[in-house]
Amino acid sequence: MNQATESVSEDLRNTQRRNFAELKESFENQNKLSKQFHKVQGYSFFALSIIAMVLLIALIARTLAVGVWEGLFLSQLWNLGEWYWSALTVVILVGMVGGLLLLILKGLEGLR
């Protein structure tokens, strides 16, 4: 009876060790895959940020070259014909003028 109990206990212990080793290996693999995913995610975010910056610089250059109305495609937006596109154009212009005035006022406050 004692031998059978010890044999079962030893089998249980061995099974638990194997299960623990498999679980540990699974967690290590998951950790490795997670690190690789975050690495790829970081590179992707970096690449998309660079693309966004290049596009923003191109838009700024276009705006400086042909003016605000044509450079920001506001004329095309205005000519779409629906009232909400025209309203969006007006909101963009008001936002730009308001932002420019805010920057000027902040600059004047900084000079005092």
Side-chain angles (χ1 to χ4, degrees):
M1 182 73 165
N2 284 338
Q3 239 180 353
T5 305
E6 287 177 15
S7 174
V8 168
S9 295
E10 188 66 30
D11 287 343
L12 263 172
R13 207 172 327 151
N14 289 337
T15 303
Q16 285 179 341
R17 283 185 186 142
R18 275 195 314 264
N19 287 341
F20 179 76
E22 288 175 9
L23 188 62
K24 184 177 177 182
E25 183 180 340
S26 173
F27 280 140
E28 288 171 354
N29 287 338
Q30 184 179 6
N31 189 19
K32 188 170 83 173
L33 290 174
S34 176
K35 285 180 182 178
Q36 288 176 349
F37 171 76
H38 288 296
K39 192 179 199 181
V40 168
Q41 185 182 22
Y43 287 139
S44 299
F45 181 74
F46 182 68
L48 289 175
S49 298
I50 288 175
I51 291 170
M53 283 188 274
V54 167
L55 289 175
L56 183 63
I57 290 169
L59 183 65
I60 291 170
R62 176 185 160 82
T63 302
L64 290 174
V66 286
V68 173
W69 187 252
E70 290 292 327
L72 294 179
F73 305 101
L74 295 178
S75 62
Q76 293 175 7
L77 195 60
W78 182 265
N79 291 329
L80 285 176
E82 300 294 331
W83 67 270
Y84 44 85
W85 296 118
S86 300
L88 178 62
T89 305
V90 171
V91 167
I92 290 171
L93 285 173
V94 168
M96 284 177 46
V97 170
L100 185 61
L101 288 175
L102 182 70
L103 286 174
I104 291 170
L105 290 175
K106 291 287 184 180
L108 291 176
E109 283 179 10
L111 291 176
R112 291 184 197 181

